[in-house]
Amino acid sequence: MADPDLTVNYEFLADCERKLGQLKKTFEDIENRRDDMDKHWGAGAIADVMVAFVNNWDDYRTRLVESLESVGEMVSGTKKAFMDLDVQLAEQGKKKQKQ
């Protein structure tokens, strides 16, 4: 039998899916820590700069979380599509063997 033209590593895809979910959760949880840190910034200009930085970071973090979720969904969809295709091809192979 010839080597397959395409090999899909389901464990790798599942690992990617899991790690993307962990990253998403980590970046979502950062907002909770922000409120704990503001008392350490001091007062005046430094505190103002830190507030501006955190607000700017929040915008980018939100986009990052959305992107991580989107990529996670793509990985999950890819894994499912290949698994479904494997099942279909296996069923076709069984039908051909019976004939």
Side-chain angles (χ1 to χ4, degrees), residues 34 38 41-57:
R34 178 190 72 171
D38 62 357
W41 295 339
I46 293 174
D48 292 341
V49 169
M50 289 302 295
V51 167
F53 171 79
V54 167
N55 289 338
N56 188 41
W57 167 240

Side-chain angles (χ1 to χ4, degrees), residues 92 94-99:
Q92 287 176 1
K94 287 178 185 176
K95 287 179 185 177
K96 284 184 180 181
Q97 286 179 350
K98 288 181 181 180
Q99 294 175 356

